[in-house]
Amino acid sequence: MKLSRDEVSALVLYQTGALQAFAAAEGVALAHIKPHGALFGMAQREEAIAEGIADAALATGLPVIAYSDCAMSEVFTRRGIAFSCEFYADLDYDDDGRQIIAKQHRAVAAAEVAAKVKRAVDEGLTRSISGKDVPVVAQSICVHSDTPNAVEVAKVVHQTLSRQLFASDQVLAVPTRK
């Protein structure tokens, strides 16, 4: 799909605005913009797509969930857009440190995923499918809801990170109602 910068900005603004209204109706403030799926992948590779997302972020005043070392992080850094980099707990990575997107997610061993996430957070590394250690930035962790054992994986990842954060006197931010 080919989208212009203006089209991306408009669609992200429209969807974010709708979501902000639903959240406000429940007394919750939206905390960030998270481009999803194909749009996220396109924004990693195409500067115009990342620019459109940045335009929407500036208009809403919201930070963005992004990815490191790509068009997104370059555009957001240059434009002063607040962002955090996401790590995918339940996906494999290639030798360039990019996530491998599958049409269907397979179940993953929760304990292995927890160790993978801990390593990504602690060392900034993950193992590629060919066995190479590749750099990653893990400021936000994603577990896909269509991973067959997603709830189990999310619980184990949360427990692992909670133990690590509490040991270092940091606190996990949990959204609260107004």
Side-chain angles (χ1 to χ4, degrees), residues 68 84-88 116-122 124-125 136-141 161:
S68 65
S84 61
C85 295
E86 189 156 64
F87 180 76
Y88 296 85
K116 175 180 167 178
V117 168
K118 186 173 182 333
R119 183 170 189 234
V121 170
D122 288 348
L125 294 171
V136 292
V137 178
Q139 298 165 318
S140 172
I141 309 299
L161 293 177

PDB file of all heavy atoms in Angstrom, residues 68 84-88 116-122 124-125 136-141 161:
ATOM      1  N   SER A  68      14.065   1.121  17.143  1.00  0.00           N
ATOM      2  CA  SER A  68      15.387   1.760  17.110  1.00  0.00           C
ATOM      3  C   SER A  68      16.069   1.586  15.751  1.00  0.00           C
ATOM      4  O   SER A  68      15.753   0.670  14.993  1.00  0.00           O
ATOM      5  CB  SER A  68      16.270   1.167  18.204  1.00  0.00           C
ATOM      6  OG  SER A  68      16.513  -0.203  17.943  1.00  0.00           O
ATOM      7  N   SER A  84       9.590   5.809  22.660  1.00  0.00           N
ATOM      8  CA  SER A  84      10.286   4.703  23.297  1.00  0.00           C
ATOM      9  C   SER A  84      10.328   3.555  22.307  1.00  0.00           C
ATOM     10  O   SER A  84       9.443   3.410  21.466  1.00  0.00           O
ATOM     11  CB  SER A  84       9.613   4.283  24.605  1.00  0.00           C
ATOM     12  OG  SER A  84       8.292   3.853  24.372  1.00  0.00           O
ATOM     13  N   CYS A  85      11.370   2.763  22.390  1.00  0.00           N
ATOM     14  CA  CYS A  85      11.584   1.678  21.431  1.00  0.00           C
ATOM     15  C   CYS A  85      11.023   0.369  21.963  1.00  0.00           C
ATOM     16  O   CYS A  85      11.227   0.010  23.119  1.00  0.00           O
ATOM     17  CB  CYS A  85      13.073   1.540  21.132  1.00  0.00           C
ATOM     18  SG  CYS A  85      13.724   2.997  20.290  1.00  0.00           S
ATOM     19  N   GLU A  86      10.352  -0.325  21.072  1.00  0.00           N
ATOM     20  CA  GLU A  86       9.652  -1.547  21.443  1.00  0.00           C
ATOM     21  C   GLU A  86      10.480  -2.788  21.118  1.00  0.00           C
ATOM     22  O   GLU A  86      11.184  -2.832  20.118  1.00  0.00           O
ATOM     23  CB  GLU A  86       8.320  -1.608  20.689  1.00  0.00           C
ATOM     24  CG  GLU A  86       7.421  -2.718  21.148  1.00  0.00           C
ATOM     25  CD  GLU A  86       5.975  -2.417  20.830  1.00  0.00           C
ATOM     26  OE1 GLU A  86       5.622  -2.317  19.651  1.00  0.00           O
ATOM     27  OE2 GLU A  86       5.199  -2.282  21.799  1.00  0.00           O
ATOM     28  N   PHE A  87      10.345  -3.775  21.992  1.00  0.00           N
ATOM     29  CA  PHE A  87      10.945  -5.086  21.796  1.00  0.00           C
ATOM     30  C   PHE A  87       9.820  -6.101  21.770  1.00  0.00           C
ATOM     31  O   PHE A  87       8.909  -6.044  22.592  1.00  0.00           O
ATOM     32  CB  PHE A  87      11.922  -5.404  22.939  1.00  0.00           C
ATOM     33  CG  PHE A  87      12.575  -6.745  22.806  1.00  0.00           C
ATOM     34  CD1 PHE A  87      13.592  -6.952  21.891  1.00  0.00           C
ATOM     35  CD2 PHE A  87      12.166  -7.812  23.583  1.00  0.00           C
ATOM     36  CE1 PHE A  87      14.193  -8.195  21.758  1.00  0.00           C
ATOM     37  CE2 PHE A  87      12.758  -9.057  23.459  1.00  0.00           C
ATOM     38  CZ  PHE A  87      13.777  -9.249  22.546  1.00  0.00           C
ATOM     39  N   TYR A  88       9.889  -7.020  20.838  1.00  0.00           N
ATOM     40  CA  TYR A  88       8.827  -8.008  20.656  1.00  0.00           C
ATOM     41  C   TYR A  88       9.215  -9.316  21.325  1.00  0.00           C
ATOM     42  O   TYR A  88      10.057 -10.058  20.831  1.00  0.00           O
ATOM     43  CB  TYR A  88       8.547  -8.196  19.167  1.00  0.00           C
ATOM     44  CG  TYR A  88       8.016  -6.919  18.577  1.00  0.00           C
ATOM     45  CD1 TYR A  88       8.879  -5.927  18.136  1.00  0.00           C
ATOM     46  CD2 TYR A  88       6.655  -6.685  18.531  1.00  0.00           C
ATOM     47  CE1 TYR A  88       8.400  -4.729  17.642  1.00  0.00           C
ATOM     48  CE2 TYR A  88       6.166  -5.492  18.036  1.00  0.00           C
ATOM     49  CZ  TYR A  88       7.040  -4.522  17.597  1.00  0.00           C
ATOM     50  OH  TYR A  88       6.553  -3.338  17.119  1.00  0.00           O
ATOM     51  N   LYS A 116      14.733 -13.982  27.376  1.00  0.00           N
ATOM     52  CA  LYS A 116      15.012 -13.167  26.182  1.00  0.00           C
ATOM     53  C   LYS A 116      14.752 -11.688  26.459  1.00  0.00           C
ATOM     54  O   LYS A 116      15.561 -10.826  26.113  1.00  0.00           O
ATOM     55  CB  LYS A 116      14.128 -13.680  25.038  1.00  0.00           C
ATOM     56  CG  LYS A 116      14.186 -12.911  23.768  1.00  0.00           C
ATOM     57  CD  LYS A 116      13.237 -13.568  22.751  1.00  0.00           C
ATOM     58  CE  LYS A 116      12.991 -12.708  21.548  1.00  0.00           C
ATOM     59  NZ  LYS A 116      12.115 -13.372  20.581  1.00  0.00           N
ATOM     60  N   VAL A 117      13.635 -11.404  27.115  1.00  0.00           N
ATOM     61  CA  VAL A 117      13.292 -10.016  27.445  1.00  0.00           C
ATOM     62  C   VAL A 117      14.290  -9.449  28.449  1.00  0.00           C
ATOM     63  O   VAL A 117      14.762  -8.321  28.296  1.00  0.00           O
ATOM     64  CB  VAL A 117      11.848  -9.918  27.976  1.00  0.00           C
ATOM     65  CG1 VAL A 117      11.577  -8.555  28.598  1.00  0.00           C
ATOM     66  CG2 VAL A 117      10.855 -10.203  26.864  1.00  0.00           C
ATOM     67  N   LYS A 118      14.614 -10.213  29.459  1.00  0.00           N
ATOM     68  CA  LYS A 118      15.576  -9.748  30.474  1.00  0.00           C
ATOM     69  C   LYS A 118      16.910  -9.406  29.817  1.00  0.00           C
ATOM     70  O   LYS A 118      17.510  -8.371  30.109  1.00  0.00           O
ATOM     71  CB  LYS A 118      15.758 -10.809  31.557  1.00  0.00           C
ATOM     72  CG  LYS A 118      16.630 -10.342  32.715  1.00  0.00           C
ATOM     73  CD  LYS A 118      16.629 -11.355  33.835  1.00  0.00           C
ATOM     74  CE  LYS A 118      17.419 -10.952  35.042  1.00  0.00           C
ATOM     75  NZ  LYS A 118      18.522 -10.042  34.889  1.00  0.00           N
ATOM     76  N   ARG A 119      17.350 -10.245  28.903  1.00  0.00           N
ATOM     77  CA  ARG A 119      18.617  -9.979  28.204  1.00  0.00           C
ATOM     78  C   ARG A 119      18.505  -8.719  27.335  1.00  0.00           C
ATOM     79  O   ARG A 119      19.430  -7.906  27.297  1.00  0.00           O
ATOM     80  CB  ARG A 119      19.010 -11.180  27.345  1.00  0.00           C
ATOM     81  CG  ARG A 119      20.352 -10.977  26.673  1.00  0.00           C
ATOM     82  CD  ARG A 119      20.850 -12.261  26.035  1.00  0.00           C
ATOM     83  NE  ARG A 119      22.214 -12.075  25.605  1.00  0.00           N
ATOM     84  CZ  ARG A 119      22.640 -12.302  24.363  1.00  0.00           C
ATOM     85  NH1 ARG A 119      21.809 -12.750  23.447  1.00  0.00           N
ATOM     86  NH2 ARG A 119      23.894 -12.103  24.056  1.00  0.00           N
ATOM     87  N   ALA A 120      17.380  -8.567  26.656  1.00  0.00           N
ATOM     88  CA  ALA A 120      17.199  -7.375  25.811  1.00  0.00           C
ATOM     89  C   ALA A 120      17.234  -6.102  26.653  1.00  0.00           C
ATOM     90  O   ALA A 120      17.856  -5.109  26.268  1.00  0.00           O
ATOM     91  CB  ALA A 120      15.884  -7.484  25.039  1.00  0.00           C
ATOM     92  N   VAL A 121      16.590  -6.150  27.821  1.00  0.00           N
ATOM     93  CA  VAL A 121      16.566  -4.979  28.709  1.00  0.00           C
ATOM     94  C   VAL A 121      17.942  -4.739  29.331  1.00  0.00           C
ATOM     95  O   VAL A 121      18.437  -3.617  29.345  1.00  0.00           O
ATOM     96  CB  VAL A 121      15.483  -5.163  29.802  1.00  0.00           C
ATOM     97  CG1 VAL A 121      15.600  -4.099  30.879  1.00  0.00           C
ATOM     98  CG2 VAL A 121      14.089  -5.154  29.177  1.00  0.00           C
ATOM     99  N   ASP A 122      18.549  -5.791  29.852  1.00  0.00           N
ATOM    100  CA  ASP A 122      19.828  -5.660  30.566  1.00  0.00           C
ATOM    101  C   ASP A 122      21.017  -5.381  29.647  1.00  0.00           C
ATOM    102  O   ASP A 122      21.864  -4.548  29.957  1.00  0.00           O
ATOM    103  CB  ASP A 122      20.139  -6.934  31.348  1.00  0.00           C
ATOM    104  CG  ASP A 122      19.259  -7.130  32.557  1.00  0.00           C
ATOM    105  OD1 ASP A 122      18.552  -6.180  32.946  1.00  0.00           O
ATOM    106  OD2 ASP A 122      19.272  -8.247  33.107  1.00  0.00           O
ATOM    107  N   GLY A 124      20.793  -5.148  25.971  1.00  0.00           N
ATOM    108  CA  GLY A 124      20.518  -4.571  24.661  1.00  0.00           C
ATOM    109  C   GLY A 124      20.821  -5.524  23.524  1.00  0.00           C
ATOM    110  O   GLY A 124      21.177  -5.103  22.427  1.00  0.00           O
ATOM    111  N   LEU A 125      20.669  -6.826  23.793  1.00  0.00           N
ATOM    112  CA  LEU A 125      20.955  -7.851  22.794  1.00  0.00           C
ATOM    113  C   LEU A 125      19.852  -8.893  22.755  1.00  0.00           C
ATOM    114  O   LEU A 125      19.201  -9.166  23.773  1.00  0.00           O
ATOM    115  CB  LEU A 125      22.268  -8.574  23.117  1.00  0.00           C
ATOM    116  CG  LEU A 125      23.559  -7.780  23.043  1.00  0.00           C
ATOM    117  CD1 LEU A 125      24.714  -8.596  23.605  1.00  0.00           C
ATOM    118  CD2 LEU A 125      23.853  -7.354  21.601  1.00  0.00           C
ATOM    119  N   VAL A 136      19.420  -4.556  20.196  1.00  0.00           N
ATOM    120  CA  VAL A 136      18.020  -4.128  20.240  1.00  0.00           C
ATOM    121  C   VAL A 136      17.878  -3.108  21.364  1.00  0.00           C
ATOM    122  O   VAL A 136      18.719  -3.019  22.249  1.00  0.00           O
ATOM    123  CB  VAL A 136      17.045  -5.310  20.487  1.00  0.00           C
ATOM    124  CG1 VAL A 136      17.016  -6.260  19.297  1.00  0.00           C
ATOM    125  CG2 VAL A 136      17.393  -6.058  21.765  1.00  0.00           C
ATOM    126  N   VAL A 137      16.804  -2.344  21.315  1.00  0.00           N
ATOM    127  CA  VAL A 137      16.473  -1.419  22.391  1.00  0.00           C
ATOM    128  C   VAL A 137      15.116  -1.857  22.919  1.00  0.00           C
ATOM    129  O   VAL A 137      14.155  -1.997  22.160  1.00  0.00           O
ATOM    130  CB  VAL A 137      16.431   0.042  21.905  1.00  0.00           C
ATOM    131  CG1 VAL A 137      16.044   0.968  23.041  1.00  0.00           C
ATOM    132  CG2 VAL A 137      17.780   0.436  21.306  1.00  0.00           C
ATOM    133  N   ALA A 138      15.020  -2.089  24.215  1.00  0.00           N
ATOM    134  CA  ALA A 138      13.806  -2.637  24.821  1.00  0.00           C
ATOM    135  C   ALA A 138      13.289  -1.709  25.914  1.00  0.00           C
ATOM    136  O   ALA A 138      13.443  -1.971  27.100  1.00  0.00           O
ATOM    137  CB  ALA A 138      14.082  -4.035  25.378  1.00  0.00           C
ATOM    138  N   GLN A 139      12.663  -0.606  25.501  1.00  0.00           N
ATOM    139  CA  GLN A 139      12.074   0.330  26.463  1.00  0.00           C
ATOM    140  C   GLN A 139      10.587   0.058  26.668  1.00  0.00           C
ATOM    141  O   GLN A 139       9.990   0.548  27.619  1.00  0.00           O
ATOM    142  CB  GLN A 139      12.278   1.764  25.962  1.00  0.00           C
ATOM    143  CG  GLN A 139      13.734   2.131  25.855  1.00  0.00           C
ATOM    144  CD  GLN A 139      13.958   3.380  25.034  1.00  0.00           C
ATOM    145  OE1 GLN A 139      13.337   3.579  23.995  1.00  0.00           O
ATOM    146  NE2 GLN A 139      14.858   4.224  25.506  1.00  0.00           N
ATOM    147  N   SER A 140      10.009  -0.675  25.756  1.00  0.00           N
ATOM    148  CA  SER A 140       8.613  -1.103  25.807  1.00  0.00           C
ATOM    149  C   SER A 140       8.599  -2.543  25.317  1.00  0.00           C
ATOM    150  O   SER A 140       9.316  -2.884  24.376  1.00  0.00           O
ATOM    151  CB  SER A 140       7.764  -0.211  24.884  1.00  0.00           C
ATOM    152  OG  SER A 140       6.463  -0.702  24.767  1.00  0.00           O
ATOM    153  N   ILE A 141       7.807  -3.390  25.950  1.00  0.00           N
ATOM    154  CA  ILE A 141       7.770  -4.802  25.594  1.00  0.00           C
ATOM    155  C   ILE A 141       6.395  -5.138  25.028  1.00  0.00           C
ATOM    156  O   ILE A 141       5.370  -4.817  25.640  1.00  0.00           O
ATOM    157  CB  ILE A 141       8.040  -5.716  26.818  1.00  0.00           C
ATOM    158  CG1 ILE A 141       9.316  -5.284  27.557  1.00  0.00           C
ATOM    159  CG2 ILE A 141       8.083  -7.175  26.404  1.00  0.00           C
ATOM    160  CD1 ILE A 141      10.586  -5.346  26.756  1.00  0.00           C
ATOM    161  N   LEU A 161      10.231  -8.687  34.917  1.00  0.00           N
ATOM    162  CA  LEU A 161      10.613  -7.277  34.918  1.00  0.00           C
ATOM    163  C   LEU A 161      10.285  -6.605  36.244  1.00  0.00           C
ATOM    164  O   LEU A 161      11.038  -5.743  36.698  1.00  0.00           O
ATOM    165  CB  LEU A 161       9.949  -6.544  33.759  1.00  0.00           C
ATOM    166  CG  LEU A 161      10.422  -6.972  32.370  1.00  0.00           C
ATOM    167  CD1 LEU A 161       9.642  -6.243  31.295  1.00  0.00           C
ATOM    168  CD2 LEU A 161      11.916  -6.755  32.207  1.00  0.00           C
TER     169      LEU A 161
END
